[in-house]
Amino acid sequence: MNIIEDNEDEYEIIKIDLQIFKEELKKYRENKNTIPNNIQLKYNEIVSNYNCFNLKYDPKSVWEKKRYKNMKNNNNNNFKHKLHIFTPPNNNNKDNKLLIGLLNKITTTNEEIITNKINQIINKNNLDLIDIVINYIGKKYDVLYLKILKIFEKYDKNVVYNYIKNYVEKKTWYPYSLIKEKNILENEYYDDYCDYIKWKNNQLNMLKILYFLYKDNNNMYDDICNNLSNDIYDEIDKGLNNNEYKYLIDYLLELLEILKEKINEDIIDKLKKYNLKKVDSSTKFLILNITKN
């Protein structure tokens, strides 16, 4: 190989024997797909220490989450999007069947007609039908169903209050053991994750019922809202201090956000003192949304 050096102001020209060039080119082509040993060792180390590199793509899970997101964002009252709950074939309770059939049909267009028919079904002797209406609201929050709920108060002014009070006192909203003990976002808990989403939506809608009732009658529901917001905050505080699963903390914050107008200043001040640099962006967003004026 000959090297010819020209003036300092000019580029150097390197001449390589043609045979040497061909041999080097051949080596390059033969080895271009070979991974260097140090890179291969680093790859093995990463794969063995970080589970995320071993996760398989789960189209079923992706589809479920996408479907849920679309369903959540769809708030129109078109009949084709309405919730339908069907009675079992052996259900002989006439009032149950009639009420469920009418709830399946109600829209903003036929609201008056359907409401009048429901008024003819509900009376002081079948107030247990309230379970059906609340079940509907739990699955799909809709003001139309809330208006139906108020019909029961004509026959017993405390029937709705007692239902909500019982819900709060039993802490039905409290996360159940599986979602506290296991990370249900892992692939092996796919079915449990789907169950959790349904359960979570039900609890969020139950608190929306409470907030609706509070706005309608502040005095009656004031204490319930105060006690519940305090209980929820206590669980949030425990979760943040014990580094519980993020989805649990966010769920509790979503509950608290619904009661935002009823949260006392002491809770707001405590939330403002958390170091938001240590929490994920979604958790940070929820806390800021609750504490902002």
mmCIF file of all heavy atoms in Angstrom, residues 82-84 102-106 111 118 133-152 212:
data_model
loop_
_atom_site.group_PDB
_atom_site.id
_atom_site.type_symbol
_atom_site.label_atom_id
_atom_site.label_comp_id
_atom_site.label_asym_id
_atom_site.label_seq_id
_atom_site.Cartn_x
_atom_site.Cartn_y
_atom_site.Cartn_z
ATOM 1 N N LYS A 82 -77.347 2.751 23.280
ATOM 2 C CA LYS A 82 -77.866 2.657 24.633
ATOM 3 C C LYS A 82 -77.562 1.305 25.251
ATOM 4 O O LYS A 82 -77.401 0.307 24.574
ATOM 5 C CB LYS A 82 -79.376 2.902 24.646
ATOM 6 C CG LYS A 82 -79.727 4.363 24.402
ATOM 7 C CD LYS A 82 -81.172 4.628 24.711
ATOM 8 C CE LYS A 82 -81.479 4.416 26.161
ATOM 9 N NZ LYS A 82 -80.717 5.290 27.052
ATOM 10 N N LEU A 83 -77.477 1.329 26.566
ATOM 11 C CA LEU A 83 -77.232 0.112 27.327
ATOM 12 C C LEU A 83 -78.494 -0.738 27.364
ATOM 13 O O LEU A 83 -79.593 -0.234 27.552
ATOM 14 C CB LEU A 83 -76.830 0.502 28.756
ATOM 15 C CG LEU A 83 -76.733 -0.625 29.764
ATOM 16 C CD1 LEU A 83 -75.516 -1.483 29.462
ATOM 17 C CD2 LEU A 83 -76.642 -0.055 31.168
ATOM 18 N N HIS A 84 -78.341 -2.041 27.187
ATOM 19 C CA HIS A 84 -79.471 -2.956 27.276
ATOM 20 C C HIS A 84 -79.155 -4.049 28.286
ATOM 21 O O HIS A 84 -78.119 -4.695 28.202
ATOM 22 C CB HIS A 84 -79.772 -3.589 25.910
ATOM 23 C CG HIS A 84 -80.378 -2.627 24.941
ATOM 24 N ND1 HIS A 84 -81.729 -2.511 24.741
ATOM 25 C CD2 HIS A 84 -79.808 -1.688 24.143
ATOM 26 C CE1 HIS A 84 -81.975 -1.573 23.839
ATOM 27 N NE2 HIS A 84 -80.817 -1.055 23.464
ATOM 28 N N LEU A 102 -88.642 -0.792 29.631
ATOM 29 C CA LEU A 102 -88.783 0.655 29.429
ATOM 30 C C LEU A 102 -87.440 1.372 29.547
ATOM 31 O O LEU A 102 -87.166 2.318 28.799
ATOM 32 C CB LEU A 102 -89.780 1.220 30.448
ATOM 33 C CG LEU A 102 -91.237 0.783 30.237
ATOM 34 C CD1 LEU A 102 -92.099 1.175 31.431
ATOM 35 C CD2 LEU A 102 -91.800 1.394 28.952
ATOM 36 N N LEU A 103 -86.605 0.930 30.476
ATOM 37 C CA LEU A 103 -85.276 1.540 30.610
ATOM 38 C C LEU A 103 -84.432 1.285 29.362
ATOM 39 O O LEU A 103 -83.609 2.119 28.972
ATOM 40 C CB LEU A 103 -84.561 0.991 31.847
ATOM 41 C CG LEU A 103 -85.116 1.440 33.204
ATOM 42 C CD1 LEU A 103 -84.417 0.707 34.342
ATOM 43 C CD2 LEU A 103 -84.979 2.950 33.385
ATOM 44 N N ASN A 104 -84.644 0.137 28.736
ATOM 45 C CA ASN A 104 -83.933 -0.166 27.495
ATOM 46 C C ASN A 104 -84.364 0.752 26.354
ATOM 47 O O ASN A 104 -83.598 0.997 25.420
ATOM 48 C CB ASN A 104 -84.176 -1.618 27.075
ATOM 49 C CG ASN A 104 -83.337 -2.602 27.873
ATOM 50 O OD1 ASN A 104 -82.306 -2.241 28.430
ATOM 51 N ND2 ASN A 104 -83.786 -3.841 27.931
ATOM 52 N N LYS A 105 -85.591 1.253 26.431
ATOM 53 C CA LYS A 105 -86.148 2.037 25.326
ATOM 54 C C LYS A 105 -85.997 3.547 25.500
ATOM 55 O O LYS A 105 -86.083 4.289 24.521
ATOM 56 C CB LYS A 105 -87.645 1.720 25.171
ATOM 57 C CG LYS A 105 -87.943 0.290 24.763
ATOM 58 C CD LYS A 105 -89.452 0.047 24.735
ATOM 59 C CE LYS A 105 -89.772 -1.399 24.369
ATOM 60 N NZ LYS A 105 -91.236 -1.660 24.404
ATOM 61 N N ILE A 106 -85.784 4.014 26.736
ATOM 62 C CA ILE A 106 -85.851 5.452 26.988
ATOM 63 C C ILE A 106 -84.744 6.215 26.260
ATOM 64 O O ILE A 106 -83.590 5.795 26.215
ATOM 65 C CB ILE A 106 -85.799 5.750 28.508
ATOM 66 C CG1 ILE A 106 -86.187 7.203 28.771
ATOM 67 C CG2 ILE A 106 -84.433 5.426 29.092
ATOM 68 C CD1 ILE A 106 -86.425 7.508 30.238
ATOM 69 N N GLU A 111 -88.597 10.473 26.211
ATOM 70 C CA GLU A 111 -88.445 10.525 27.673
ATOM 71 C C GLU A 111 -89.779 10.699 28.397
ATOM 72 O O GLU A 111 -90.075 9.988 29.365
ATOM 73 C CB GLU A 111 -87.495 11.663 28.050
ATOM 74 C CG GLU A 111 -87.339 11.851 29.548
ATOM 75 C CD GLU A 111 -86.503 13.074 29.893
ATOM 76 O OE1 GLU A 111 -86.012 13.756 28.961
ATOM 77 O OE2 GLU A 111 -86.360 13.348 31.103
ATOM 78 N N ILE A 118 -93.263 4.446 33.410
ATOM 79 C CA ILE A 118 -92.519 3.979 34.584
ATOM 80 C C ILE A 118 -93.201 4.454 35.864
ATOM 81 O O ILE A 118 -93.234 3.740 36.873
ATOM 82 C CB ILE A 118 -91.052 4.467 34.519
ATOM 83 C CG1 ILE A 118 -90.318 3.756 33.378
ATOM 84 C CG2 ILE A 118 -90.327 4.220 35.844
ATOM 85 C CD1 ILE A 118 -88.894 4.223 33.158
ATOM 86 N N VAL A 133 -82.698 0.277 38.660
ATOM 87 C CA VAL A 133 -82.339 1.597 38.132
ATOM 88 C C VAL A 133 -80.888 1.935 38.467
ATOM 89 O O VAL A 133 -80.129 2.414 37.614
ATOM 90 C CB VAL A 133 -83.289 2.680 38.684
ATOM 91 C CG1 VAL A 133 -82.893 4.055 38.146
ATOM 92 C CG2 VAL A 133 -84.733 2.360 38.317
ATOM 93 N N ILE A 134 -80.491 1.667 39.704
ATOM 94 C CA ILE A 134 -79.111 1.968 40.102
ATOM 95 C C ILE A 134 -78.133 1.064 39.353
ATOM 96 O O ILE A 134 -77.017 1.479 39.017
ATOM 97 C CB ILE A 134 -78.948 1.840 41.629
ATOM 98 C CG1 ILE A 134 -79.681 3.004 42.308
ATOM 99 C CG2 ILE A 134 -77.478 1.826 42.033
ATOM 100 C CD1 ILE A 134 -79.568 3.057 43.802
ATOM 101 N N ASN A 135 -78.550 -0.153 39.066
ATOM 102 C CA ASN A 135 -77.712 -1.049 38.274
ATOM 103 C C ASN A 135 -77.465 -0.466 36.887
ATOM 104 O O ASN A 135 -76.352 -0.536 36.349
ATOM 105 C CB ASN A 135 -78.380 -2.420 38.163
ATOM 106 C CG ASN A 135 -77.499 -3.430 37.458
ATOM 107 O OD1 ASN A 135 -76.291 -3.445 37.639
ATOM 108 N ND2 ASN A 135 -78.106 -4.274 36.642
ATOM 109 N N TYR A 136 -78.487 0.127 36.304
ATOM 110 C CA TYR A 136 -78.337 0.778 35.002
ATOM 111 C C TYR A 136 -77.352 1.942 35.088
ATOM 112 O O TYR A 136 -76.476 2.100 34.239
ATOM 113 C CB TYR A 136 -79.694 1.293 34.514
ATOM 114 C CG TYR A 136 -80.415 0.340 33.593
ATOM 115 C CD1 TYR A 136 -81.035 -0.799 34.087
ATOM 116 C CD2 TYR A 136 -80.474 0.571 32.226
ATOM 117 C CE1 TYR A 136 -81.695 -1.675 33.251
ATOM 118 C CE2 TYR A 136 -81.134 -0.299 31.374
ATOM 119 C CZ TYR A 136 -81.742 -1.424 31.889
ATOM 120 O OH TYR A 136 -82.381 -2.297 31.050
ATOM 121 N N ILE A 137 -77.528 2.778 36.111
ATOM 122 C CA ILE A 137 -76.652 3.944 36.249
ATOM 123 C C ILE A 137 -75.216 3.504 36.508
ATOM 124 O O ILE A 137 -74.266 4.129 36.033
ATOM 125 C CB ILE A 137 -77.141 4.862 37.388
ATOM 126 C CG1 ILE A 137 -78.580 5.307 37.128
ATOM 127 C CG2 ILE A 137 -76.235 6.086 37.515
ATOM 128 C CD1 ILE A 137 -79.211 6.072 38.276
ATOM 129 N N GLY A 138 -75.052 2.421 37.269
ATOM 130 C CA GLY A 138 -73.713 1.915 37.537
ATOM 131 C C GLY A 138 -72.993 1.505 36.269
ATOM 132 O O GLY A 138 -71.783 1.680 36.134
ATOM 133 N N LYS A 139 -73.744 0.966 35.312
ATOM 134 C CA LYS A 139 -73.144 0.524 34.055
ATOM 135 C C LYS A 139 -72.998 1.664 33.052
ATOM 136 O O LYS A 139 -72.076 1.674 32.247
ATOM 137 C CB LYS A 139 -73.982 -0.600 33.441
ATOM 138 C CG LYS A 139 -73.963 -1.886 34.260
ATOM 139 C CD LYS A 139 -74.827 -2.953 33.614
ATOM 140 C CE LYS A 139 -74.836 -4.228 34.435
ATOM 141 N NZ LYS A 139 -73.524 -4.871 34.511
ATOM 142 N N LYS A 140 -73.917 2.621 33.110
ATOM 143 C CA LYS A 140 -73.861 3.752 32.169
ATOM 144 C C LYS A 140 -74.518 4.965 32.816
ATOM 145 O O LYS A 140 -75.730 5.004 32.982
ATOM 146 C CB LYS A 140 -74.570 3.410 30.858
ATOM 147 C CG LYS A 140 -74.509 4.518 29.814
ATOM 148 C CD LYS A 140 -75.219 4.080 28.538
ATOM 149 C CE LYS A 140 -75.100 5.132 27.448
ATOM 150 N NZ LYS A 140 -75.786 6.398 27.788
ATOM 151 N N TYR A 141 -73.708 5.941 33.178
ATOM 152 C CA TYR A 141 -74.238 7.142 33.826
ATOM 153 C C TYR A 141 -75.014 7.966 32.812
ATOM 154 O O TYR A 141 -74.490 8.352 31.770
ATOM 155 C CB TYR A 141 -73.090 7.970 34.407
ATOM 156 C CG TYR A 141 -73.556 9.177 35.183
ATOM 157 C CD1 TYR A 141 -73.952 9.057 36.509
ATOM 158 C CD2 TYR A 141 -73.602 10.434 34.582
ATOM 159 C CE1 TYR A 141 -74.382 10.161 37.228
ATOM 160 C CE2 TYR A 141 -74.031 11.542 35.294
ATOM 161 C CZ TYR A 141 -74.420 11.398 36.609
ATOM 162 O OH TYR A 141 -74.853 12.490 37.320
ATOM 163 N N ASP A 142 -76.280 8.208 33.127
ATOM 164 C CA ASP A 142 -77.149 8.944 32.212
ATOM 165 C C ASP A 142 -78.175 9.704 33.044
ATOM 166 O O ASP A 142 -78.824 9.134 33.928
ATOM 167 C CB ASP A 142 -77.849 7.973 31.255
ATOM 168 C CG ASP A 142 -78.517 8.685 30.081
ATOM 169 O OD1 ASP A 142 -79.113 9.756 30.301
ATOM 170 O OD2 ASP A 142 -78.449 8.165 28.955
ATOM 171 N N VAL A 143 -78.328 10.989 32.760
ATOM 172 C CA VAL A 143 -79.272 11.825 33.507
ATOM 173 C C VAL A 143 -80.697 11.288 33.385
ATOM 174 O O VAL A 143 -81.510 11.438 34.307
ATOM 175 C CB VAL A 143 -79.204 13.287 33.010
ATOM 176 C CG1 VAL A 143 -80.280 14.137 33.681
ATOM 177 C CG2 VAL A 143 -77.829 13.885 33.287
ATOM 178 N N LEU A 144 -81.007 10.638 32.275
ATOM 179 C CA LEU A 144 -82.345 10.061 32.106
ATOM 180 C C LEU A 144 -82.640 9.049 33.208
ATOM 181 O O LEU A 144 -83.746 9.010 33.760
ATOM 182 C CB LEU A 144 -82.457 9.384 30.739
ATOM 183 C CG LEU A 144 -82.450 10.302 29.512
ATOM 184 C CD1 LEU A 144 -82.433 9.468 28.237
ATOM 185 C CD2 LEU A 144 -83.658 11.226 29.521
ATOM 186 N N TYR A 145 -81.660 8.231 33.540
ATOM 187 C CA TYR A 145 -81.843 7.239 34.597
ATOM 188 C C TYR A 145 -81.928 7.908 35.973
ATOM 189 O O TYR A 145 -82.646 7.445 36.862
ATOM 190 C CB TYR A 145 -80.697 6.231 34.590
ATOM 191 C CG TYR A 145 -80.572 5.438 33.311
ATOM 192 C CD1 TYR A 145 -79.316 5.071 32.822
ATOM 193 C CD2 TYR A 145 -81.689 5.049 32.585
ATOM 194 C CE1 TYR A 145 -79.190 4.340 31.651
ATOM 195 C CE2 TYR A 145 -81.574 4.322 31.413
ATOM 196 C CZ TYR A 145 -80.316 3.971 30.950
ATOM 197 O OH TYR A 145 -80.198 3.248 29.793
ATOM 198 N N LEU A 146 -81.186 9.001 36.139
ATOM 199 C CA LEU A 146 -81.227 9.721 37.420
ATOM 200 C C LEU A 146 -82.616 10.309 37.676
ATOM 201 O O LEU A 146 -83.096 10.333 38.812
ATOM 202 C CB LEU A 146 -80.178 10.834 37.425
ATOM 203 C CG LEU A 146 -78.721 10.375 37.503
ATOM 204 C CD1 LEU A 146 -77.779 11.530 37.220
ATOM 205 C CD2 LEU A 146 -78.423 9.779 38.871
ATOM 206 N N LYS A 147 -83.236 10.772 36.622
ATOM 207 C CA LYS A 147 -84.593 11.306 36.762
ATOM 208 C C LYS A 147 -85.568 10.203 37.179
ATOM 209 O O LYS A 147 -86.488 10.443 37.971
ATOM 210 C CB LYS A 147 -85.044 11.947 35.448
ATOM 211 C CG LYS A 147 -84.287 13.221 35.091
ATOM 212 C CD LYS A 147 -84.761 13.780 33.756
ATOM 213 C CE LYS A 147 -84.000 15.044 33.388
ATOM 214 N NZ LYS A 147 -84.438 15.588 32.065
ATOM 215 N N ILE A 148 -85.355 9.009 36.646
ATOM 216 C CA ILE A 148 -86.190 7.867 37.041
ATOM 217 C C ILE A 148 -85.954 7.539 38.511
ATOM 218 O O ILE A 148 -86.889 7.220 39.258
ATOM 219 C CB ILE A 148 -85.884 6.634 36.168
ATOM 220 C CG1 ILE A 148 -86.131 6.943 34.689
ATOM 221 C CG2 ILE A 148 -86.702 5.434 36.621
ATOM 222 C CD1 ILE A 148 -87.544 7.362 34.364
ATOM 223 N N LEU A 149 -84.708 7.651 38.938
ATOM 224 C CA LEU A 149 -84.361 7.367 40.335
ATOM 225 C C LEU A 149 -85.136 8.276 41.292
ATOM 226 O O LEU A 149 -85.562 7.841 42.371
ATOM 227 C CB LEU A 149 -82.851 7.559 40.524
ATOM 228 C CG LEU A 149 -82.239 7.079 41.841
ATOM 229 C CD1 LEU A 149 -82.392 5.573 41.993
ATOM 230 C CD2 LEU A 149 -80.766 7.473 41.911
ATOM 231 N N LYS A 150 -85.328 9.510 40.897
ATOM 232 C CA LYS A 150 -86.028 10.465 41.759
ATOM 233 C C LYS A 150 -87.505 10.113 41.944
ATOM 234 O O LYS A 150 -88.138 10.569 42.907
ATOM 235 C CB LYS A 150 -85.905 11.876 41.174
ATOM 236 C CG LYS A 150 -84.473 12.403 41.102
ATOM 237 C CD LYS A 150 -83.886 12.632 42.476
ATOM 238 C CE LYS A 150 -84.545 13.807 43.157
ATOM 239 N NZ LYS A 150 -83.965 14.080 44.491
ATOM 240 N N ILE A 151 -88.057 9.308 41.040
ATOM 241 C CA ILE A 151 -89.471 8.920 41.157
ATOM 242 C C ILE A 151 -89.716 8.161 42.458
ATOM 243 O O ILE A 151 -90.764 8.312 43.101
ATOM 244 C CB ILE A 151 -89.901 8.060 39.948
ATOM 245 C CG1 ILE A 151 -89.838 8.893 38.663
ATOM 246 C CG2 ILE A 151 -91.304 7.490 40.156
ATOM 247 C CD1 ILE A 151 -90.134 8.096 37.399
ATOM 248 N N PHE A 152 -88.737 7.353 42.875
ATOM 249 C CA PHE A 152 -88.899 6.539 44.085
ATOM 250 C C PHE A 152 -89.109 7.400 45.327
ATOM 251 O O PHE A 152 -89.751 6.970 46.287
ATOM 252 C CB PHE A 152 -87.674 5.640 44.277
ATOM 253 C CG PHE A 152 -87.569 4.535 43.272
ATOM 254 C CD1 PHE A 152 -86.934 4.739 42.057
ATOM 255 C CD2 PHE A 152 -88.119 3.287 43.528
ATOM 256 C CE1 PHE A 152 -86.833 3.723 41.119
ATOM 257 C CE2 PHE A 152 -88.031 2.259 42.601
ATOM 258 C CZ PHE A 152 -87.388 2.481 41.389
ATOM 259 N N PHE A 212 -74.711 14.104 42.152
ATOM 260 C CA PHE A 212 -75.961 14.613 41.576
ATOM 261 C C PHE A 212 -76.988 14.864 42.679
ATOM 262 O O PHE A 212 -77.666 15.901 42.700
ATOM 263 C CB PHE A 212 -76.506 13.604 40.564
ATOM 264 C CG PHE A 212 -77.890 13.915 40.058
ATOM 265 C CD1 PHE A 212 -78.080 14.773 38.988
ATOM 266 C CD2 PHE A 212 -79.009 13.345 40.659
ATOM 267 C CE1 PHE A 212 -79.359 15.066 38.525
ATOM 268 C CE2 PHE A 212 -80.290 13.627 40.205
ATOM 269 C CZ PHE A 212 -80.468 14.494 39.133
#
